[in-house]
Amino acid sequence: MAPVKLLGTQGLTRQYGGLIAVNDVDFNLYEDRIHAIIGPNGAGKTTLVSMICGRTPSSSGRINFKGKDITRLSSAKRVQAGIVYTFQVTSIFGNLSCFENVALSAQRTLREQPEGRASLEKWGMVSEIEIEKAVSKYLLKVGLEGIESQIASTLPYGHQKLLEVAMGLAAGPELLILDEPTQGLAESEIDNLIQLIRDISKSVNVLLIEHNMEVVFNLAEHVTVMDNGSILAEGTPSEIENNPAVQDSYLGN
Ligand SMILES: Nc1ncnc2c1ncn2[C@@H]1O[C@H](COP(=O)(O)OP(=O)(O)OP(=O)(O)O)[C@@H](O)[C@H]1O
Ligand SMILES: [Mg+2]
């Protein structure tokens, strides 16, 4: 069966003054495979996904998601459409508990689902039981069950990253974008996260920005290499590994 296109950009560009962070990029993402973006520091990876999720406005170009033009949608509308981004630097609310962090994401999602609304619908509210169920589910999924009441900033860094993944999942994504999820993690935590991402990818499309090549070659089924604001190469991990241009610009050093 031919792969189904989930997301596409045409001529997507972002300029900062004289600097072109992302230059006329046609980026395509297909359903049901883990897609990684790699490339040196400053290549434009974060800027590209920030435009895709609506955090950074594009200077020019278009973005399509599931056949619809989303170029002008707000980031909130894009979350509703199913595009969820987790930040390169963690974006948890440090002074809230783990439960509250995940509940904030879950509440928004449940409010939009008919089954979560039943009797409280006219108030635009979601029942506490619904939220508790959802929070437990996502904390369990990332292996953080039992720490609901702990204040998020007191968690070890690796657990904060997992909490952020739980928050991303609670937002009900169809496409989950993870920007350097393994950055700052210990080797054993990375192995855990690889398992988790593989598990998540069974039900959610995953787009990963990652510098750790072991993680990329372990997880990704398709790789896009960015360099200097443009796409340098695309292909399977082994095609990328053996691509001379990629070796020169990135993998070699
Ligand atoms: N808000 C901004 N204002 C000005 N320049 C920016 C801004 N954001 C990014 N840039 C510049 O755009 C270029 C691309 O940055 P970007 O963060 O997208 O790279 P990246 O590939 O994600 O790098 P890294 O691997 O270090 O995270 C860099 O030269 C960066 O300095
Ligand atoms: Mg980045």
Side-chain angles (χ1 to χ4, degrees):
M1 225 169 55
V4 178
K5 185 151 122 180
L6 185 66
L7 176 106
T9 75
Q10 293 99 43
L12 201 62
T13 298
R14 173 70 207 196
Q15 251 176 295
Y16 292 109
L19 178 101
I20 307 180
V22 172
N23 189 5
D24 196 22
V25 163
D26 296 344
F27 172 79
N28 292 308
L29 187 144
Y30 293 85
E31 276 182 3
D32 298 331
R33 65 186 189 191
I34 302 181
H35 190 140
I37 303 179
I38 65 172
N41 292 120
K45 305 179 298 295
T46 296
T47 306
L48 175 64
V49 299
S50 295
M51 288 191 282
I52 288 170
C53 73
R55 280 178 67 228
T56 300
S58 52
S59 305
S60 57
R62 318 205 66 77
I63 308 167
N64 279 272
F65 184 64
K66 297 203 287 178
K68 292 210 181 83
D69 188 326
I70 59 160
T71 314
R72 288 196 173 73
L73 286 190
S74 67
S75 55
K77 283 263 156 53
R78 291 187 210 194
V79 174
Q80 279 176 23
I83 301 176
V84 172
Y85 173 69
T86 73
F87 294 80
Q88 186 165 5
V89 178
T90 61
S91 59
I92 57 171
F93 299 98
N95 55 344
L96 298 183
S97 71
C98 295
F99 177 89
E100 288 164 333
N101 267 284
V102 181
L104 278 173
S105 284
Q107 190 177 26
R108 233 173 289 148
T109 319
L110 290 169
R111 209 183 273 153
E112 282 141 30
Q113 289 171 354
E115 68 269 30
R117 299 173 68 169
S119 61
L120 299 167
E121 179 170 21
K122 62 179 181 229
W123 309 104
M125 287 163 76
V126 180
S127 77
E128 260 172 65
I129 292 168
E130 290 294 333
I131 294 175
E132 271 169 34
K133 270 203 326 219
V135 173
S136 302
K137 177 170 118 187
Y138 295 118
L139 285 176
L140 180 67
K141 178 95 178 172
V142 303
L144 286 182
E145 66 274 19
I147 56 148
E148 281 79 355
S149 61
Q150 197 170 335
I151 297 300
S153 63
T154 67
L155 291 175
Y157 183 70
H159 287 180
Q160 293 188 18
K161 294 284 248 193
L162 292 173
L163 180 61
E164 205 185 349
V165 173
M167 290 167 70
L169 290 175
E174 209 158 313
L175 172 63
L176 182 65
I177 304 176
L178 301 166
D179 196 347
E180 299 200 32
T182 67
Q183 192 183 35
L185 297 189
E187 205 61 40
S188 63
E189 293 175 320
I190 291 178
D191 291 344
N192 247 329
L193 193 62
I194 289 176
Q195 289 308 319
L196 176 62
I197 293 172
R198 195 171 282 137
D199 186 33
I200 289 169
S201 74
K202 287 178 197 149
S203 51
V204 177
N205 297 287
V206 174
L207 172 62
L208 190 70
I209 296 179
E210 185 57 63
H211 277 294
N212 184 326
M213 285 307 125
E214 234 180 278
V215 175
V216 170
F217 291 119
N218 223 311
L219 268 180
E221 290 141 290
H222 193 78
V223 179
T224 297
V225 187
M226 285 192 77
D227 190 21
N228 207 8
S230 300
I231 293 177
L232 177 72
E234 282 199 85
T236 63
S238 63
E239 283 165 356
I240 292 302
E241 209 172 4
N242 296 312
N243 181 315
V246 178
Q247 284 171 355
D248 283 351
S249 97
Y250 187 50
L251 293 177
N253 50 42

